[in-house]
Amino acid sequence: MPTNFTVVPVEAQGEERDPAERDARRQQQQQQEEEEEEDNGERGSTGDGIARESSPFINNAEMDRGNKYEGKNMALFEEEMDSNPMVSSLLNKLANYTNLTQGVVEHEADEDTKRKEVKVPRMGTFIGVYLPCLQNILGVILFLRLTWIVGTAGVLESFIIVFMCCACTMLTAISMSAIATNGVVPGTLPDCQDFSNKLESVLTTISANSLRILGVMSLDPMDLNLFSFISWTPPVSSRSGVFKGPKGHMTKIWPFRPQHQSCNCAGGSYYMISRSLGPEFGGAVGLCFYLGTTFAGAMYILGTIEILLTYISPSAAIFKAEDGGEETEAMLNNMRVYGTCIIILMAVVVFVGVKYVNKLALVFLACVILSIIAIYAGVIKTAFDPPDFPICLLGNRTLSKRSFDVCAKFTESNNETKTTTLWRLFCNSSLHNATCDDYFSLNNVTEIQGIPGIMSGVLIDNLWSAYSEKGSVVEKKNQPSVSGSEDIKIGGRPYVFTDIMTYFTMLVGIYFPSVTGIMAGSNRSGDLKDAQKSIPTGTILAISTTSFIYLSCIVLFGACIEGVILRDKFGEAVNGNLVVGTLAWPSPWVIVIGSFFSTCGAGLQSLTGAPRLLQAIARDGIVPFIQVFGHGKANGEPTWALLLTAGICEIGILIASLDSVAPILSMFFLMCYMFVNLACAVQTLLRTPNWRPRFKYYHWTLSFLGMSLCLALMFICSWYYALVAMLIAGCIYKYIEYRGAEKEWGDGIRGLSLNAARYALLRVEDGPPHTKNWRPQLLVLLNLDCEQLVKHPRLLSFTSQLKAGKGLTIVGSVLQGTYLDKCTETQKAEENVKALMGVEKTKGFCQIVVSPSFRDGISHLIQSAGLGGMKHNTVLMAWPQSWKRTENHFSWKNFVDTVRETTAAQQALLVAKNIDLFPTNQERFTEGNIDVWWIVHDGGMLMLLPFLLRQHKVWRKCKMRIFTVAQMDDNSIQMKKDLQMFLYHLRLNAEVEVVEMFENDISAFTYEKTLMMEQRSQMLKQMQLSKNEREREAQLIHDRNTASHSTPAVKASVAASVPEKVQMTWTKEKFVAEKHKNKDTNVSGFKDIFNMKPNQSNVRRMHTAVKLNGVVLNKSQHAQLVLLNMPGPPKNRKGDENYMEFLEVLTEGLDRVLLVRGSGREVITIYS
């Protein structure tokens, strides 16, 4: 990981610019650095030899030592103050951001002429949170679709739709306020600028030791929680760098240069979710939120084009409809062409300068507010002077006035009755006797006021819904009409048609984007004087205001506007005017122009915010395949992210229908809000110590209700869109989990996992599980070499093949010594074992034990590994190949004692012999057998293990064979039938064979092999005795030398305590006596060895081992794996070495052997 701190030498100033003086000063600085390095090396660790953690606020107290140690009040803490600062010093560094140490004043005076610090104005709740949220929430849906939703769903159902959506955002805002006030949430540029200035000042007083820690150890600021959204760029100016003050202390650090449009601070919801629920959820929901923001940009652009081509300049359309049926297709094509052009134009504007977009935000907000004021003014005006917008009806059908101007069949001119344009649209000629449409002939043409006013009582007619199919005519309720024969299709008639099929859930999906934008306050936290107070207040007030506006508009639209006009989406019945514009005062153009600029601004802001959100996710490093989008221009502008955003936005433009794009972005926003609520609920229920929000008006039930409402709205809007959004989020989640960078953010999911683990452990009975639930919970004992590397990696391969990721696996090893001396080796060993576990895909835990004795360490692992009910029940170890060599750490005594301890602990034991010949996880056996030699019933372990192994792809194609041994009195045929029936009930597929072993005489080979074994054991004992005598003599000499260097008093006491018979040096007489004594002992010992006779018990055991080995070799020499009952060690410990020899003979000639010793309980059952 590259370091992010660049240290550049600084030229001396003033009189020091002479080369000779500069060289002398450099030498002096180098000497000061060397002296400080020595001091820091001495202070780098505490008395126990353990290195202390280093940070900018720890280990930098040496700069204050001179004045801190003068007083005697804190003398007790002098040792601590070597590495930890005083509280007053720490608080001073955090608060006094402009505090500069001596030696920097001159440089700062020079730098101030070249670098002017930007003073960011601090805003309050109204300007900083309330108005931005208002601008983001109120938008295109209010002006273009709300009247249509009211007319289609009716006032009551529209009220329910708006209330559900507003309740969802209000509950989300409460959860968001709790999270946003639980610490600092990085926001927009000023927040980063301010934080960087603070960090710069805090780093002013860090010692050179801290710089070395930050630089040499390559500590990436992106790994730190506070730094996650800061764009770090290396210094460009040659004058940037580290300036040395007195005693070599650093007086100024310029680790980065804050760039004005490069600050990667698209925090907001992504930051809150990722830091609360972890990188997996954060990355998945963050990308979904990015997609939602991108599609929102497409929706705003489509709204802009719709306003332009429908209400401002219809003649600007490129594609013209030749007949009525092609109008929709022509409009979609115009949307695609104009939308593509506008995306390119907006992308160029964003690329050239974001500051222009931010400056225009106030203009866009003014347009929105003026438009809403115009709507309310128009509503008030309708009470006493309704506007004149007549509607032409044929029967109860609404007519489009785009094709005619006079709403009548005939007109009177010069006492002459003439047919109108409307007549010619329904008849085949202008003559009075022309053939006309039946419905036209049977019904009268009437004209009513489209906006009768708030006092007209039209609200009663608009209370109920009027859903319709696609292509149906907009009809007025309770209007008399006579049905015609409808022989002629109505498609070419000048009616007002519905362009899509309408129903309740679809309207929810179209409306929901109008309540999004509640995160604007949390994204601007850096602009605020008091973010933790302003964000909750401003956001909740903005949602309350917009909810009131939407709910009141629903009632007012229903009370003022005729229902057929409300259902006329594009205002065809009112000469192509915007429906809500007909209500506005003083002119419809106020709404048209205001909504046009509002949608333009919203589209620009989406194209500005979405790339920065993607850049934030990319720079977090949690999704590897998008890391390229973390780069940009030299000033940090997210160029690549902008290109991707424009491309995805183009997909929405190609859809070309605002009504089709709105449900898509509804899904992504709803998913984001759902996880904000989930984050708050999880944190509240876990009651983590760090969960201390300043906003107190929250509860986990409200968060849970908000989460449930978001989920319900997702499926209400569109169940298939909801499933697709969840699938996308799930795929991203699994990808981050599988390939993403590991981040530890103290997230709630980890806390939830810990709580769930604790709850499960308490629920698990601390005792043996039921036979049906039994599976091998392994303790794998590994041997490490002098480099702390695993000697037998294949043991972990076999573990993963046996476990297949299921159950408990504890990988343990023992280091000999004391923990204080072996602390570093322990960490290295644990890292090596975990790395190998990752390579071998062994899922489990690693536990390294340091013990003075290797034997005791193994015993500790067997006794104490695991926790509660999650303890191992099986020990897996490798056969000690070099057990005959006494210098081996894992000698035969340790092995035999381990066998005894597993038996005493009622644990099963698996011993893999020739483990280095076992297959790796990449190998595949295409054929072969797994042979089980079932000599003694062990609870079914021998039956269960092959079944578990064959679940893994390495052993999947191997066949299972079971051999059992029949004695002379046994009926081998009946034994085979019984065993086959037993396997049938166990649901195991295996070949069965009964091997007959008859009694015969002990061979001379067996007798001789037993004799050689006992002779070898006796010789080892003699050698061990001689060795012990030599060790005792060496110890006496060592004690004598130690005593000679002690004080006279100690000498006297030692002399008094040592008997006179003990000679402390090798005299000539003692040497001769010892020589004859050892010679006599050795001669007599060797005579006894060659004259000894073998023990009859050992002969019988050896006979069994030799004969059984011959039978196994005959049947299973070419098997891929042989499983054998492992005989127990002798009760008499004097025969332990012989026991190892018996096992060696038993498995001689076999490639891969697994010795199995059961735990004494049943592990497999025939019952369900």
Side-chain angles (χ1 to χ4, degrees):
M1 186 181 296
T3 180
N4 289 278
F5 290 84
T6 305
V7 180
V8 183
V10 182
E11 293 182 2
Q13 300 180 12
E15 68 278 6
E16 291 182 0
R17 294 188 178 179
D18 183 71
E21 294 182 5
R22 185 166 60 245
D23 293 341
R25 181 164 180 80
R26 283 180 181 173
Q27 293 179 1
Q28 182 181 0
Q29 288 180 353
Q30 289 177 359
Q31 292 177 359
Q32 292 174 351
E33 290 176 6
E34 292 173 359
E35 293 174 0
E36 184 165 348
E37 286 179 3
E38 294 177 1
D39 295 340
N40 291 333
E42 294 175 359
R43 293 191 298 268
S45 61
T46 55
D48 54 5
I50 303 174
R52 305 295 293 268
E53 180 183 1
S54 300
S55 75
F57 303 120
I58 305 175
N59 290 339
N60 63 351
E62 61 270 11
M63 73 187 102
D64 298 326
R65 184 177 307 180
N67 54 1
K68 293 299 178 187
Y69 287 179
E70 289 177 359
K72 303 297 182 182
N73 293 336
M74 293 296 162
L76 182 63
F77 295 95
E78 287 183 1
E79 295 297 328
E80 289 294 323
M81 284 189 285
D82 282 340
S83 56
N84 300 333
M86 292 288 293
V87 173
S88 58
S89 176
L90 174 62
L91 295 177
N92 182 60
K93 292 179 181 65
L94 291 174
N96 191 10
Y97 300 120
T98 58
N99 182 23
L100 300 177
T101 54
Q102 186 179 0
V104 194
V105 178
E106 297 81 6
H107 174 73
E108 287 296 301
D110 181 69
E111 283 293 314
D112 281 341
T113 61
K114 303 174 182 178
R115 176 178 55 87
K116 298 294 183 181
E117 184 176 347
V118 179
K119 298 295 183 181
V120 181
R122 292 297 179 178
M123 293 182 289
T125 303
F126 184 77
I127 300 295
V129 179
Y130 180 76
L131 290 182
C133 286
L134 215 64
Q135 178 190 359
N136 281 269
I137 295 173
L138 300 173
V140 63
I141 301 295
L142 171 64
F143 302 120
L144 296 183
R145 292 293 183 269
L146 189 58
T147 54
W148 174 70
I149 291 174
V150 173
T152 305
V155 173
L156 293 180
E157 292 186 21
S158 299
F159 199 90
I160 294 173
I161 292 173
V162 174
F163 181 80
M164 281 196 308
C165 295
C166 292
C168 175
T169 54
M170 179 62 77
L171 293 172
T172 304
I174 292 173
S175 300
M176 183 198 72
S177 300
I179 298 174
T181 58
N182 187 54
V184 179
V185 176
T188 53
L189 167 70
D191 189 24
C192 300
Q193 177 73 29
D194 178 64
F195 180 72
S196 63
N197 291 337
K198 295 178 182 179
L199 181 64
E200 173 188 328
S201 298
V202 171
L203 290 176
T204 296
T205 51
I206 301 178
S207 65
N209 183 37
S210 299
L211 174 68
R212 187 166 60 255
I213 292 171
L214 292 173
V216 175
M217 295 182 64
S218 301
L219 181 61
D220 193 340
M222 297 299 292
D223 288 338
L224 300 180
N225 194 358
L226 286 175
F227 299 169
S228 295
F229 291 92
I230 293 181
S231 175
W232 293 77
T233 55
V236 178
S237 172
S238 61
R239 301 188 65 83
S240 303
V242 179
F243 301 89
K244 294 287 183 176
K247 299 183 180 180
H249 293 138
M250 185 198 320
T251 57
K252 194 65 176 177
I253 301 179
W254 292 91
F256 61 91
R257 299 182 69 192
Q259 303 291 333
H260 254 302
Q261 293 128 16
S262 67
C263 203
N264 191 1
C265 292
S269 59
Y270 163 68
Y271 183 89
M272 288 187 286
I273 293 172
S274 61
R275 268 54 178 183
S276 298
L277 295 181
E280 292 86 3
F281 278 107
V285 181
L287 285 179
C288 287
F289 189 57
Y290 161 74
L291 293 174
T293 307
T294 304
F295 276 102
M299 184 189 71
Y300 293 131
I301 293 172
L302 291 175
T304 303
I305 303 168
E306 183 176 316
I307 295 171
L308 175 66
L309 297 181
T310 306
Y311 307 114
I312 297 179
S313 179
S315 60
I318 299 174
F319 298 91
K320 306 289 184 180
E322 296 181 0
D323 54 49
E326 297 179 358
E327 288 183 359
T328 303
E329 189 63 31
M331 186 64 178
L332 294 179
N333 290 329
N334 287 320
M335 289 275 195
R336 294 183 180 105
V337 174
Y338 275 95
T340 303
C341 296
I342 291 179
I343 279 183
I344 295 173
L345 179 62
M346 286 186 174
V348 170
V349 171
V350 172
F351 179 79
V352 170
V354 181
K355 57 184 178 180
Y356 302 112
V357 178
N358 294 330
K359 289 179 179 178
L360 289 174
L362 188 60
V363 177
F364 302 143
L365 176 61
C367 293
V368 174
I369 295 175
L370 288 175
S371 299
I372 293 173
I373 293 174
I375 292 173
Y376 281 105
V379 169
I380 296 172
K381 183 176 179 293
T382 61
F384 51 86
D385 184 18
D388 183 23
F389 279 99
I391 306 169
C392 190
L393 299 177
L394 176 61
N396 64 349
R397 296 178 180 176
T398 310
L399 296 177
S400 172
K401 282 196 171 182
R402 292 180 184 270
S403 305
F404 63 93
D405 52 356
V406 178
C407 182
K409 294 182 180 180
F410 307 98
T411 58
E412 295 288 339
S413 176
N414 299 326
N415 295 324
E416 183 181 357
T417 302
K418 296 182 180 179
T419 58
T420 61
T421 306
L422 181 62
W423 175 277
R424 290 189 290 273
L425 291 174
F426 284 92
C427 301
N428 58 3
S429 72
S430 60
L431 301 176
H432 291 275
N433 59 353
T435 303
C436 298
D437 181 74
D438 286 346
Y439 189 85
F440 181 76
S441 301
L442 297 173
N443 291 277
N444 295 325
V445 176
T446 58
E447 195 171 52
I448 63 173
Q449 279 297 325
I451 304 179
I454 195 171
M455 308 301 293
S456 64
V458 75
L459 177 64
I460 304 299
D461 298 331
N462 293 330
L463 282 178
W464 311 108
S465 62
Y467 300 117
S468 59
E469 297 290 332
K470 180 180 179 181
S472 59
V473 181
V474 176
E475 298 178 346
K476 176 175 171 54
K477 301 175 184 178
N478 304 323
Q479 182 75 13
S481 66
V482 180
S483 300
S485 60
E486 303 293 343
D487 293 334
I488 304 175
K489 294 183 179 180
I490 63 174
R493 306 304 182 193
Y495 294 125
V496 177
F497 297 100
T498 57
D499 61 334
I500 57 174
M501 185 176 67
T502 54
Y503 45 92
F504 179 82
T505 58
M506 185 267 290
L507 296 180
V508 175
I510 292 176
Y511 172 76
F512 186 81
S514 66
V515 296
T516 59
I518 62 174
M519 302 291 182
S522 63
N523 291 340
R524 297 169 179 263
S525 60
D527 296 333
L528 308 174
K529 295 178 182 177
D530 187 355
Q532 298 196 359
K533 177 182 177 182
S534 297
I535 290 175
T537 306
T539 304
I540 292 175
L541 281 179
I543 294 175
S544 302
T545 304
T546 53
S547 299
F548 171 78
I549 291 174
Y550 282 125
L551 293 173
S552 62
C553 282
I554 287 173
V555 177
L556 295 176
F557 290 163
C560 295
I561 305 176
E562 184 63 52
V564 290
I565 299 297
L566 290 174
R567 292 191 293 277
D568 184 6
K569 184 186 292 186
F570 302 110
E572 296 181 19
V574 286
N575 299 320
N577 284 307
L578 183 62
V579 174
V580 70
T582 60
L583 183 63
W585 180 86
S587 168
W589 286 102
V590 175
I591 299 293
V592 173
I593 301 300
S595 60
F596 178 78
F597 283 110
S598 172
T599 51
C600 279
L604 274 172
Q605 289 185 343
S606 295
L607 286 179
T608 303
R612 279 155 182 75
L613 176 59
L614 181 63
Q615 188 183 46
I617 303 172
R619 288 187 173 179
D620 253 359
I622 59 176
V623 187
F625 70 86
I626 66 167
Q627 288 187 357
V628 64
F629 299 107
H631 308 295
K633 293 193 296 185
N635 63 349
E637 279 298 308
T639 307
W640 296 109
L642 177 62
L643 291 176
L644 179 65
T645 302
I648 297 175
C649 198
E650 177 65 17
I651 297 175
I653 294 298
L654 294 178
I655 297 174
S657 172
L658 188 148
D659 300 322
S660 300
V661 173
I664 297 176
L665 63 101
S666 295
M667 291 301 111
F668 294 124
F669 279 117
L670 279 168
M671 182 172 292
C672 175
Y673 295 164
M674 179 178 69
F675 279 99
V676 169
N677 285 292
L678 175 62
C680 182
V682 167
Q683 297 279 26
T684 306
L685 289 173
L686 288 179
R687 298 178 182 176
T688 53
N690 191 53
W691 181 246
R692 303 183 301 274
R694 290 189 179 276
F695 180 76
K696 301 299 181 183
Y697 305 102
Y698 70 94
H699 195 268
W700 70 267
T701 53
L702 295 177
S703 300
F704 187 78
L705 179 61
M707 182 183 67
S708 304
L709 189 56
C710 289
L711 185 63
L713 285 174
M714 287 179 67
F715 283 93
I716 287 174
C717 294
S718 175
W719 63 269
Y720 46 89
Y721 278 170
L723 292 178
V724 170
M726 288 183 173
L727 180 64
I728 293 174
C731 292
I732 298 172
Y733 178 94
K734 297 304 292 184
Y735 177 80
I736 296 173
E737 186 180 51
Y738 179 67
R739 293 289 303 274
E742 293 184 2
K743 298 285 183 180
E744 179 53 60
W745 287 329
D747 53 87
I749 292 298
R750 180 172 176 81
L752 187 63
S753 301
L754 291 174
N755 268 20
R758 170 185 165 274
Y759 177 78
L761 282 173
L762 292 175
R763 288 290 302 272
V764 173
E765 297 180 3
D766 192 6
H770 192 273
T771 304
K772 290 187 291 186
N773 297 328
W774 195 95
R775 66 166 60 244
Q777 315 283 14
L778 293 181
L779 170 62
V780 185
L781 299 179
L782 294 179
N783 290 338
L784 304 178
D785 58 17
C786 58
E787 298 291 333
Q788 313 306 332
L789 298 175
V790 179
K791 287 185 178 180
H792 304 293
R794 299 287 179 93
L795 195 61
L796 286 180
S797 303
F798 183 71
T799 302
S800 61
Q801 295 161 19
L802 183 62
K803 299 291 293 179
K806 304 295 190 299
L808 175 69
T809 301
I810 301 174
V811 180
S813 187
V814 177
L815 298 181
Q816 199 164 354
T818 60
Y819 186 74
L820 285 179
D821 297 333
K822 295 286 185 178
C823 181
T824 305
E825 289 85 344
T826 303
Q827 295 176 357
K828 182 180 178 181
E830 187 171 354
E831 291 174 359
N832 293 339
V833 172
K834 285 183 177 179
L836 184 60
M837 289 173 66
V839 171
E840 300 294 342
K841 297 181 179 179
T842 304
K843 297 181 180 179
F845 307 97
C846 176
Q847 188 169 353
I848 306 296
V849 172
V850 181
S851 176
S853 166
F854 192 84
R855 163 75 189 79
D856 292 340
I858 295 293
S859 178
H860 295 158
L861 278 175
I862 293 175
Q863 293 178 63
S864 61
L867 181 64
M870 288 293 290
K871 294 181 69 68
H872 62 278
N873 54 29
T874 305
V875 177
L876 173 62
M877 59 193 299
W879 172 264
Q881 298 288 350
S882 56
W883 64 271
K884 295 182 180 180
R885 289 184 295 182
T886 56
E887 67 272 11
N888 182 28
H889 288 297
F890 201 73
S891 64
W892 55 270
K893 286 186 177 180
N894 293 336
F895 178 82
V896 177
D897 286 340
T898 302
V899 175
R900 286 196 174 99
E901 287 197 350
T902 55
T903 304
Q906 295 183 340
Q907 296 174 3
L909 177 65
L910 307 179
V911 180
K913 190 176 181 186
N914 300 325
I915 185 62
D916 294 329
L917 300 179
F918 276 59
T920 63
N921 291 327
Q922 287 71 37
E923 297 181 35
R924 302 289 183 272
F925 287 136
T926 56
E927 58 181 2
N929 301 312
I930 299 177
D931 288 354
V932 177
W933 285 85
W934 193 17
I935 312 299
V936 181
H937 180 58
D938 58 351
M941 278 283 289
L942 283 171
M943 307 291 183
L944 187 61
L945 292 176
F947 169 77
L948 295 176
L949 280 175
R950 292 182 68 230
Q951 306 301 309
H952 197 273
K953 49 193 173 183
V954 173
W955 306 90
R956 188 165 296 159
K957 294 186 178 181
C958 293
K959 296 180 180 179
M960 179 178 171
R961 298 192 302 179
I962 296 182
F963 298 90
T964 188
V965 177
Q967 300 296 321
M968 183 174 292
D969 299 334
D970 297 329
N971 185 344
S972 58
I973 298 177
Q974 188 61 38
M975 281 182 64
K976 184 174 182 179
K977 290 181 179 180
D978 294 342
L979 183 54
Q980 287 175 338
M981 182 59 65
F982 181 59
L983 293 178
Y984 175 78
H985 287 303
L986 289 176
R987 290 91 63 200
L988 295 176
N989 296 322
E991 298 179 10
V992 176
E993 187 171 344
V994 178
V995 179
E996 297 179 347
M997 286 183 61
F998 301 106
E999 293 288 341
N1000 54 8
D1001 296 334
I1002 298 173
S1003 64
F1005 171 76
T1006 301
Y1007 192 88
E1008 182 179 357
K1009 197 169 186 66
T1010 307
L1011 181 60
M1012 292 175 60
M1013 176 189 71
E1014 293 188 351
Q1015 288 176 348
R1016 176 182 175 279
S1017 300
Q1018 192 65 26
M1019 290 179 65
L1020 287 174
K1021 288 181 181 178
Q1022 295 289 345
M1023 294 170 62
Q1024 188 67 26
L1025 288 173
S1026 301
K1027 180 181 177 182
N1028 291 341
E1029 289 180 357
R1030 290 196 302 272
E1031 289 177 352
R1032 283 198 299 271
E1033 185 65 32
Q1035 183 63 37
L1036 288 173
I1037 296 173
H1038 174 73
D1039 293 343
R1040 172 67 182 274
N1041 292 336
T1042 303
S1044 64
H1045 292 87
S1046 60
T1047 59
V1050 176
K1051 287 184 181 180
S1053 63
V1054 171
S1057 62
V1058 176
E1060 295 181 358
K1061 295 181 180 179
V1062 178
Q1063 298 184 16
M1064 302 306 295
T1065 57
W1066 282 97
T1067 62
K1068 183 176 181 181
E1069 293 78 5
K1070 179 173 177 61
F1071 178 76
V1072 173
E1074 283 293 323
K1075 184 176 180 182
H1076 287 292
K1077 178 181 177 182
N1078 291 338
K1079 183 177 180 181
D1080 295 341
T1081 303
N1082 292 337
V1083 170
S1084 62
F1086 284 114
K1087 284 182 180 180
D1088 293 339
I1089 289 174
F1090 290 112
N1091 293 331
M1092 67 183 298
K1093 291 183 179 181
N1095 184 284
Q1096 290 301 315
S1097 175
N1098 289 339
V1099 172
R1100 289 196 304 272
R1101 291 172 182 269
M1102 182 63 74
H1103 172 69
T1104 303
V1106 171
K1107 187 158 186 176
L1108 189 57
N1109 174 256
V1111 174
V1112 174
L1113 280 176
N1114 184 37
K1115 296 288 184 179
S1116 304
Q1117 187 171 10
H1118 301 293
Q1120 302 293 2
L1121 179 64
V1122 177
L1123 283 80
L1124 273 169
N1125 279 119
M1126 181 178 180
K1131 295 181 180 180
N1132 185 5
R1133 291 179 176 268
K1134 293 182 179 179
D1136 286 354
E1137 63 273 19
N1138 298 333
Y1139 171 70
M1140 298 294 293
E1141 193 70 45
F1142 295 146
L1143 295 180
E1144 194 76 66
V1145 171
L1146 179 63
T1147 58
E1148 189 175 4
L1150 298 173
D1151 290 338
R1152 288 180 285 268
V1153 183
L1154 186 65
L1155 296 172
V1156 181
R1157 183 164 176 79
S1159 61
R1161 64 184 305 270
E1162 293 293 332
V1163 300
I1164 194 169
T1165 179
I1166 64 174
Y1167 300 106
S1168 60

